[in-house]
Amino acid sequence: MKTPADIITRLQLILQDGTKSDRRLAGFVLADLDFVSKAAISEIALRVGVSEPTVTRFCRNLGCEGLRDFKFYLAQAIAIGGQYLSPEPLSRDVREQRIASAITEAAISAIQRASENLDMTTLVAVAARIAVSGNVLCIGSGGISSMMATEMQNRLFRLGVSVLAQIDGQLQRMYAAVATPETTLIAFSVSGYARSVIDAVQVAQQYGATTIAITPPDSALAKVADTVIHFQSLEDGNIYKPTSSRYALLSIVDMIVTSVAETRGPRVLENLRRIKQSVNTLKVDDPRLPLGD
């Protein structure tokens, strides 16, 4: 029998297209997940007004062997994504008053936490390595990590660093395979378990590259990289807003890049001047605008 990959989606589908009794059972389950995950088959049948064999058939229609198997997958779904199944209703007035402060306060808190827990000695040493590298490869998979790899490339190239960002898993391994002892690989992973990123680090090490990870301590990625800048993502429980951890990770990127710029010194200035000159001819001539943004 085929195992259900996502029991909640199966329930939602059967709520739309199932038999009359299956629709009643699916609606009951989705309305009271906690009760169903603990109730006996007789209790469920009584509450819905169907027979016990009907409950068993319902479970089998979902791809489960029976109620016990169904309850296992249901409990798993509740543990993984339960907070998204029964969110507290939003108050419009409260929402309109607090959105701006919720985003800004969470971002500030995330940045402060990252700064307080940061080993600046390690960060400065990483920047020193980047500053003298023959080439830099930035890698990351997923929303935040891939964005940071690309942002690191965007910040380093203007300092005269030969840098490339790669967010495709297969290409990460391929680029790592042409690394040399002059290569510095910078790996981002908020979880620390992105398989392609871990693989690329290990491949690059075979060819003498220096590998740096910005990731949680004791994660799989942290264990294989040469140097680790510890970054632990902590969520605030607000499931409606994007994670604030990306602000903290971006602040670490900015710290590294600032240190690289200071290490390389005045030789970065000509590149910055050229970029400013080039971009300003395409838009309003305002020297106060950010460089290239």
Side-chain angles (χ1 to χ4, degrees):
M1 186 175 292
K2 189 175 181 180
T3 301
D6 183 349
I7 198 69
I8 300 299
T9 296
R10 298 290 293 272
L11 284 165
Q12 292 167 342
L13 290 173
I14 212 167
L15 183 63
Q16 300 296 323
D17 303 322
T19 64
K20 184 178 179 180
S21 60
D22 279 353
R23 291 199 303 271
R24 288 171 62 190
L25 278 161
F28 176 72
V29 172
L30 289 169
D32 199 343
L33 295 166
D34 186 62
F35 172 79
V36 175
S37 67
K38 301 171 184 175
I41 189 169
S42 58
E43 295 175 303
I44 296 171
L46 180 63
R47 291 278 289 271
V48 181
V50 297
S51 66
E52 293 183 20
T54 298
V55 176
T56 300
R57 283 195 298 272
F58 167 73
C59 295
R60 290 175 178 168
N61 288 340
L62 288 166
C64 303
E65 295 179 0
L67 181 62
R68 183 176 180 179
D69 195 38
F70 167 68
K71 288 167 74 172
F72 169 79
Y73 288 108
L74 188 63
Q76 189 179 61
I78 293 171
I80 295 172
Q83 62 178 330
Y84 300 100
L85 297 173
S86 301
E88 295 181 4
L90 290 173
S91 166
R92 180 172 180 177
D93 291 340
V94 172
R95 181 186 65 193
E96 292 178 349
Q97 294 170 7
R98 69 174 172 77
I99 284 179
S101 60
I103 297 298
T104 55
E105 289 172 9
I108 291 168
S109 295
I111 292 170
Q112 288 177 334
R113 275 197 307 271
S115 178
E116 290 167 358
N117 296 318
L118 201 57
D119 181 348
M120 287 302 298
T121 301
T122 299
L123 186 145
V124 171
V126 163
R129 166 62 193 182
I130 294 170
V132 297
S133 296
N135 59 87
V136 176
L137 175 61
C138 306
I139 62 173
S141 298
I144 299 174
S145 298
S146 60
M147 180 176 71
M148 292 304 150
T150 303
E151 178 65 7
M152 182 66 88
Q153 173 189 263
N154 185 35
R155 296 299 152 189
L156 288 178
F157 90 86
R158 62 189 72 193
L159 303 181
V161 176
S162 177
V163 57
L164 175 71
Q166 187 50 255
I167 63 174
D168 178 272
Q170 188 71 1
L171 285 171
Q172 287 171 354
R173 297 180 182 90
M174 293 168 66
Y175 275 95
V178 296
T180 71
E182 288 71 45
T183 300
T184 297
L185 184 149
I186 306 173
F188 293 88
S189 179
V190 174
S191 70
Y193 293 91
R195 189 69 257 168
S196 67
V197 174
I198 296 169
D199 289 348
V201 167
Q202 293 176 313
V203 170
Q205 286 173 333
Q206 295 177 31
Y207 300 100
T210 297
T211 58
I212 297 159
I214 302 175
T215 195
D218 302 320
S219 65
L221 177 57
K223 291 175 182 176
V224 298
D226 297 322
T227 303
V228 181
I229 295 176
H230 295 167
F231 174 75
Q232 188 71 59
S233 173
L234 296 175
E235 299 306 313
D236 56 17
N238 186 337
I239 62 175
Y240 287 101
K241 73 172 183 63
T243 176
S244 299
S245 61
R246 69 191 192 283
Y247 296 108
L249 197 49
L250 182 59
S251 71
I252 293 175
V253 168
D254 284 357
M255 291 178 202
I256 293 171
V257 172
T258 300
S259 185
V260 171
E262 291 183 354
T263 300
R264 290 178 69 83
R267 58 180 160 161
V268 307
L269 299 180
E270 176 59 15
N271 279 357
L272 300 179
R273 186 198 65 78
R274 291 185 187 184
I275 293 169
K276 189 70 171 178
Q277 176 69 31
S278 174
V279 174
N280 262 40
T281 61
L282 303 177
K283 59 186 180 183
V284 178
D285 185 13
D286 186 348
R288 296 172 299 177
L289 293 174
L291 182 70
D293 293 308

mmCIF file of all heavy atoms in Angstrom, residues 137 139 164-166 170-180 183 185 203-204:
data_model
loop_
_atom_site.group_PDB
_atom_site.id
_atom_site.type_symbol
_atom_site.label_atom_id
_atom_site.label_comp_id
_atom_site.label_asym_id
_atom_site.label_seq_id
_atom_site.Cartn_x
_atom_site.Cartn_y
_atom_site.Cartn_z
ATOM 1 N N LEU A 137 34.734 31.273 -4.257
ATOM 2 C CA LEU A 137 33.497 30.629 -4.681
ATOM 3 C C LEU A 137 32.507 30.687 -3.522
ATOM 4 O O LEU A 137 32.785 30.176 -2.432
ATOM 5 C CB LEU A 137 33.753 29.168 -5.077
ATOM 6 C CG LEU A 137 32.517 28.332 -5.425
ATOM 7 C CD1 LEU A 137 31.773 28.920 -6.631
ATOM 8 C CD2 LEU A 137 32.908 26.880 -5.685
ATOM 9 N N ILE A 139 28.756 29.671 -2.153
ATOM 10 C CA ILE A 139 27.691 28.718 -2.447
ATOM 11 C C ILE A 139 26.645 28.729 -1.336
ATOM 12 O O ILE A 139 26.929 29.015 -0.178
ATOM 13 C CB ILE A 139 28.235 27.290 -2.641
ATOM 14 C CG1 ILE A 139 28.916 26.781 -1.358
ATOM 15 C CG2 ILE A 139 29.192 27.232 -3.813
ATOM 16 C CD1 ILE A 139 29.321 25.316 -1.431
ATOM 17 N N LEU A 164 32.777 34.321 -7.516
ATOM 18 C CA LEU A 164 31.638 33.753 -8.238
ATOM 19 C C LEU A 164 30.685 33.129 -7.232
ATOM 20 O O LEU A 164 31.124 32.460 -6.291
ATOM 21 C CB LEU A 164 32.106 32.688 -9.234
ATOM 22 C CG LEU A 164 31.007 31.927 -9.975
ATOM 23 C CD1 LEU A 164 30.327 32.848 -10.987
ATOM 24 C CD2 LEU A 164 31.568 30.695 -10.672
ATOM 25 N N ALA A 165 29.387 33.339 -7.416
ATOM 26 C CA ALA A 165 28.373 32.688 -6.583
ATOM 27 C C ALA A 165 27.703 31.590 -7.395
ATOM 28 O O ALA A 165 27.415 31.766 -8.582
ATOM 29 C CB ALA A 165 27.336 33.701 -6.111
ATOM 30 N N GLN A 166 27.447 30.459 -6.749
ATOM 31 C CA GLN A 166 26.774 29.360 -7.431
ATOM 32 C C GLN A 166 25.718 28.753 -6.502
ATOM 33 O O GLN A 166 26.031 28.332 -5.393
ATOM 34 C CB GLN A 166 27.781 28.288 -7.844
ATOM 35 C CG GLN A 166 27.198 27.199 -8.704
ATOM 36 C CD GLN A 166 26.406 27.743 -9.884
ATOM 37 O OE1 GLN A 166 25.173 27.709 -9.889
ATOM 38 N NE2 GLN A 166 27.112 28.279 -10.876
ATOM 39 N N GLN A 170 24.250 20.915 -8.543
ATOM 40 C CA GLN A 170 25.181 20.179 -9.385
ATOM 41 C C GLN A 170 26.376 21.039 -9.771
ATOM 42 O O GLN A 170 27.527 20.596 -9.763
ATOM 43 C CB GLN A 170 24.456 19.688 -10.645
ATOM 44 C CG GLN A 170 25.272 18.748 -11.519
ATOM 45 C CD GLN A 170 25.467 17.371 -10.903
ATOM 46 O OE1 GLN A 170 24.967 17.096 -9.815
ATOM 47 N NE2 GLN A 170 26.219 16.514 -11.571
ATOM 48 N N LEU A 171 26.101 22.307 -10.108
ATOM 49 C CA LEU A 171 27.195 23.209 -10.479
ATOM 50 C C LEU A 171 28.087 23.543 -9.293
ATOM 51 O O LEU A 171 29.282 23.799 -9.461
ATOM 52 C CB LEU A 171 26.623 24.482 -11.098
ATOM 53 C CG LEU A 171 26.098 24.325 -12.535
ATOM 54 C CD1 LEU A 171 25.361 25.575 -12.972
ATOM 55 C CD2 LEU A 171 27.237 24.011 -13.501
ATOM 56 N N GLN A 172 27.535 23.534 -8.086
ATOM 57 C CA GLN A 172 28.373 23.748 -6.903
ATOM 58 C C GLN A 172 29.459 22.683 -6.834
ATOM 59 O O GLN A 172 30.641 22.989 -6.585
ATOM 60 C CB GLN A 172 27.509 23.708 -5.639
ATOM 61 C CG GLN A 172 26.632 24.935 -5.457
ATOM 62 C CD GLN A 172 25.635 24.771 -4.321
ATOM 63 O OE1 GLN A 172 25.515 23.698 -3.722
ATOM 64 N NE2 GLN A 172 24.912 25.832 -4.018
ATOM 65 N N ARG A 173 29.073 21.437 -7.061
ATOM 66 C CA ARG A 173 30.051 20.347 -7.032
ATOM 67 C C ARG A 173 31.059 20.484 -8.182
ATOM 68 O O ARG A 173 32.264 20.226 -8.013
ATOM 69 C CB ARG A 173 29.328 19.005 -7.135
ATOM 70 C CG ARG A 173 28.383 18.719 -5.968
ATOM 71 C CD ARG A 173 27.712 17.365 -6.166
ATOM 72 N NE ARG A 173 26.765 17.051 -5.112
ATOM 73 C CZ ARG A 173 25.471 17.367 -5.136
ATOM 74 N NH1 ARG A 173 24.974 18.035 -6.171
ATOM 75 N NH2 ARG A 173 24.678 17.025 -4.142
ATOM 76 N N MET A 174 30.558 20.881 -9.359
ATOM 77 C CA MET A 174 31.436 21.004 -10.523
ATOM 78 C C MET A 174 32.462 22.118 -10.340
ATOM 79 O O MET A 174 33.644 21.941 -10.638
ATOM 80 C CB MET A 174 30.583 21.241 -11.775
ATOM 81 C CG MET A 174 29.722 20.052 -12.166
ATOM 82 S SD MET A 174 28.475 20.449 -13.412
ATOM 83 C CE MET A 174 29.515 20.837 -14.817
ATOM 84 N N TYR A 175 32.013 23.274 -9.858
ATOM 85 C CA TYR A 175 32.952 24.377 -9.623
ATOM 86 C C TYR A 175 33.943 24.014 -8.519
ATOM 87 O O TYR A 175 35.121 24.399 -8.575
ATOM 88 C CB TYR A 175 32.197 25.656 -9.266
ATOM 89 C CG TYR A 175 31.735 26.443 -10.461
ATOM 90 C CD1 TYR A 175 30.452 26.289 -10.970
ATOM 91 C CD2 TYR A 175 32.591 27.341 -11.102
ATOM 92 C CE1 TYR A 175 30.019 27.003 -12.085
ATOM 93 C CE2 TYR A 175 32.173 28.062 -12.211
ATOM 94 C CZ TYR A 175 30.887 27.886 -12.698
ATOM 95 O OH TYR A 175 30.469 28.587 -13.806
ATOM 96 N N ALA A 176 33.462 23.288 -7.502
ATOM 97 C CA ALA A 176 34.360 22.861 -6.423
ATOM 98 C C ALA A 176 35.444 21.935 -6.960
ATOM 99 O O ALA A 176 36.578 21.927 -6.464
ATOM 100 C CB ALA A 176 33.563 22.166 -5.326
ATOM 101 N N ALA A 177 35.116 21.165 -7.997
ATOM 102 C CA ALA A 177 36.070 20.207 -8.557
ATOM 103 C C ALA A 177 37.211 20.880 -9.304
ATOM 104 O O ALA A 177 38.238 20.247 -9.558
ATOM 105 C CB ALA A 177 35.340 19.236 -9.494
ATOM 106 N N VAL A 178 37.050 22.151 -9.668
ATOM 107 C CA VAL A 178 38.143 22.870 -10.344
ATOM 108 C C VAL A 178 38.796 23.885 -9.406
ATOM 109 O O VAL A 178 39.491 24.798 -9.843
ATOM 110 C CB VAL A 178 37.655 23.558 -11.643
ATOM 111 C CG1 VAL A 178 37.202 22.513 -12.644
ATOM 112 C CG2 VAL A 178 36.527 24.543 -11.360
ATOM 113 N N ALA A 179 38.571 23.727 -8.120
ATOM 114 C CA ALA A 179 39.219 24.592 -7.128
ATOM 115 C C ALA A 179 40.717 24.291 -7.075
ATOM 116 O O ALA A 179 41.179 23.220 -7.482
ATOM 117 C CB ALA A 179 38.594 24.377 -5.758
ATOM 118 N N THR A 180 41.458 25.261 -6.549
ATOM 119 C CA THR A 180 42.910 25.110 -6.382
ATOM 120 C C THR A 180 43.274 25.571 -4.970
ATOM 121 O O THR A 180 42.418 26.100 -4.235
ATOM 122 C CB THR A 180 43.663 25.979 -7.401
ATOM 123 O OG1 THR A 180 43.500 27.367 -7.040
ATOM 124 C CG2 THR A 180 43.144 25.745 -8.814
ATOM 125 N N THR A 183 42.032 28.929 -4.011
ATOM 126 C CA THR A 183 40.584 29.139 -3.924
ATOM 127 C C THR A 183 40.119 29.213 -2.471
ATOM 128 O O THR A 183 40.577 28.439 -1.625
ATOM 129 C CB THR A 183 39.814 27.999 -4.620
ATOM 130 O OG1 THR A 183 40.196 27.947 -5.995
ATOM 131 C CG2 THR A 183 38.307 28.198 -4.508
ATOM 132 N N LEU A 185 36.502 28.874 -0.621
ATOM 133 C CA LEU A 185 35.086 28.542 -0.791
ATOM 134 C C LEU A 185 34.331 28.993 0.447
ATOM 135 O O LEU A 185 34.691 28.620 1.573
ATOM 136 C CB LEU A 185 34.898 27.043 -1.020
ATOM 137 C CG LEU A 185 33.474 26.566 -1.310
ATOM 138 C CD1 LEU A 185 33.489 25.335 -2.215
ATOM 139 C CD2 LEU A 185 32.705 26.246 -0.022
ATOM 140 N N VAL A 203 34.534 18.281 -1.784
ATOM 141 C CA VAL A 203 35.209 18.171 -3.079
ATOM 142 C C VAL A 203 36.316 19.219 -3.189
ATOM 143 O O VAL A 203 37.445 18.924 -3.593
ATOM 144 C CB VAL A 203 34.201 18.329 -4.239
ATOM 145 C CG1 VAL A 203 34.932 18.467 -5.569
ATOM 146 C CG2 VAL A 203 33.245 17.141 -4.286
ATOM 147 N N ALA A 204 36.010 20.470 -2.833
ATOM 148 C CA ALA A 204 36.994 21.548 -2.921
ATOM 149 C C ALA A 204 38.211 21.265 -2.045
ATOM 150 O O ALA A 204 39.353 21.589 -2.412
ATOM 151 C CB ALA A 204 36.345 22.872 -2.533
#
